[in-house]
Amino acid sequence: MISFIIPVYNAENTIGRCIDSIINQTTDEKYEIIIVDDGSVDGTVARVEKYAKEHPQIHLVEKNNGGVSSARNVGIQNAKGEYLIFCDADDSLSDGFFENIKGYLLYDLTVFGYSYVIESKTIPVVGKQVETFDKEKVFLSLYESKLFNPVWNKIYKKTLIRDMFENYFTVGEDLVFNIEYLRNISSINIISLPLYNYTVTLGSITRSYKENYAENFSKCFNRLKSFKRELGNIACTLIEKNYLDNIVGTIELLVNFSQYDYKNKIKEMRKIAKEVEQNKINYCGSSKYNKFIILLLYQHNFWGIFVLVKIKSIIKAIVK
């Protein structure tokens, strides 16, 4: 049986679409849907309770607010299925999901592609099947095709989950969980179809700034670097590039979306600069824009970064 685990927090406007995308599928597959409410203060619980009354495979678990990691951990603890699939409340499964995952019982990990949906644009993200199981090749294949980090594009075997989600992380908790899980597997299936719709909404965590983002990214970077070395390869060019991309993205969130005044934005940039400097990263593989941002960060030219980011956002708005 498959257990779908869906953490929810103030998701009354989106949880219905997510649930419908599962229960409206045509399948003989046995499954349950565990919805973990993380202390919602809107009508989420009432909405889920209505679904649960009509569909016995839906189970609601309520807890005090503690974040997505703690909610997923509660979901794992309550799951009766031998296999787990994580979903986010504002996302959905693609049509024909169950038909396309057939054979998942033969593998320790099944990975499928997804559609990245943002502001009416849909971008498919898919990978290729690996011919032989080699952890380094598997990791590189997934990481390069942007399939490694998330948990919502995978089917996990519950007995192989030895490490739960770490509550410390605001971002990157999926990646850390996947690193630990990959250590325990000996078989994988990569389905080259977008079977999940990942929806980015304005105001979501991916479009906001929190002060520990840079620290989170640094910890994720070092976990990835250690894991890659553990696999026998110390080359981390792509990992370094992605880390710096995330740092630049964090700076853009700080400048464009945070509620800080100018003085406190500069203060936050100093913290970010300290994080980056400690990691001593070669930024030659980054884009020209990112290189310039990182160079200014190393020089502590925070005013220059502020101006450059603002100019980019203005140009982007004009082009759009």
Side-chain angles (χ1 to χ4, degrees):
M1 182 171 75
I2 294 175
S3 294
F4 288 92
I5 297 173
I6 310 175
V8 294
Y9 177 74
N10 292 349
E12 65 174 321
N13 295 324
T14 60
I15 187 59
R17 180 183 62 193
C18 182
I19 295 173
D20 287 340
S21 75
I22 302 174
I23 63 177
N24 290 338
Q25 300 269 344
T26 299
T27 182
D28 294 326
E29 189 76 43
K30 188 178 180 182
Y31 68 88
E32 65 174 356
I33 301 174
I34 300 174
I35 300 175
V36 183
D37 181 73
D38 193 39
S40 295
V41 294
D42 65 353
T44 298
V45 169
R47 190 84 190 273
V48 174
E49 286 177 337
K50 184 177 179 181
Y51 270 98
K53 286 179 181 178
E54 299 173 0
H55 303 277
Q57 72 270 41
I58 297 176
H59 310 289
L60 172 65
V61 180
E62 296 182 67
K63 62 181 287 295
N64 294 329
N65 183 257
V68 66
S69 291
S70 65
R72 284 175 178 157
N73 288 339
V74 168
I76 294 171
Q77 292 163 356
N78 283 271
K80 294 181 174 64
E82 299 87 0
Y83 290 83
L84 309 181
I85 297 176
F86 298 97
C87 298
D88 284 351
D90 51 356
D91 298 338
S92 60
L93 300 186
S94 299
D95 293 340
F97 177 84
F98 287 102
E99 179 67 25
N100 285 299
I101 64 168
K102 282 185 175 179
Y104 72 91
L105 292 169
L106 301 174
Y107 301 93
D108 293 337
L109 178 64
T110 294
V111 180
F112 43 86
Y114 59 93
S115 294
Y116 187 87
V117 183
I118 180 169
E119 296 178 357
S120 75
K121 294 181 180 179
T122 301
I123 305 168
V125 180
V126 296
K128 295 180 180 179
Q129 183 64 272
V130 289
E131 295 180 2
T132 57
F133 184 82
D134 175 275
K135 283 192 179 179
E136 184 183 6
K137 290 181 180 178
V138 166
F139 168 71
L140 289 175
S141 175
L142 295 177
Y143 192 77
E144 289 173 354
S145 56
K146 300 186 184 302
L147 296 176
F148 183 77
N149 291 22
V151 294
W152 33 253
N153 68 327
K154 298 176 177 68
I155 306 176
Y156 300 89
K157 199 171 185 178
K158 187 179 179 182
T159 55
L160 295 179
I161 296 176
R162 313 273 165 75
D163 297 272
M164 304 291 267
F165 287 91
E166 296 186 29
N167 291 322
Y168 163 80
F169 290 91
T170 304
V171 289
E173 70 283 346
D174 293 14
L175 182 150
V176 173
F177 180 85
N178 286 329
I179 288 174
E180 299 306 321
Y181 186 82
L182 194 62
R183 287 191 168 103
N184 305 326
I185 72 171
S186 56
S187 61
I188 187 172
N189 183 35
I190 300 175
I191 301 172
S192 301
L193 293 169
L195 303 182
Y196 185 92
N197 302 306
Y198 171 62
T199 305
V200 178
T201 54
L202 292 175
S204 71
I205 192 170
T206 55
R207 296 293 294 270
S208 59
Y209 173 81
K210 292 191 177 180
E211 60 182 16
N212 63 344
Y213 270 11
E215 184 180 351
N216 274 202
F217 285 130
S218 290
K219 287 185 180 297
C220 289
F221 166 72
N222 286 305
R223 292 281 190 97
L224 275 172
K225 190 165 61 173
S226 296
F227 180 61
K228 197 161 187 298
R229 288 174 175 171
E230 181 183 312
L231 296 176
N233 191 333
I234 63 173
C236 294
T237 304
L238 182 58
I239 293 172
E240 291 179 335
K241 178 184 178 300
N242 286 346
Y243 168 71
L244 292 180
D245 288 348
N246 284 325
I247 289 296
V248 173
T250 298
I251 291 171
E252 290 179 337
L253 289 175
L254 171 64
V255 173
N256 293 325
F257 295 99
S258 75
Q259 299 301 311
Y260 295 116
D261 59 22
Y262 176 76
K263 181 179 178 180
N264 282 307
K265 285 180 180 180
I266 298 301
K267 184 179 178 181
E268 287 297 305
M269 281 190 205
R270 291 187 186 279
K271 294 179 183 178
I272 294 172
K274 185 177 180 180
E275 282 292 334
V276 176
E277 289 164 359
Q278 288 175 344
N279 288 310
K280 299 178 180 178
I281 295 174
N282 183 339
Y283 56 93
C284 293
S286 300
S287 66
K288 290 182 179 179
Y289 169 78
N290 285 5
K291 282 181 185 177
F292 197 23
I293 291 290
I294 298 300
L295 178 61
L296 293 174
L297 196 67
Y298 281 149
Q299 295 175 344
H300 289 200
N301 187 346
F302 306 121
W303 180 84
I305 293 174
F306 190 91
V307 171
L308 186 59
V309 170
K310 280 296 184 183
I311 290 174
K312 181 188 175 183
S313 64
I314 292 171
I315 293 174
K316 187 176 179 179
I318 292 173
V319 172
K320 185 177 179 182

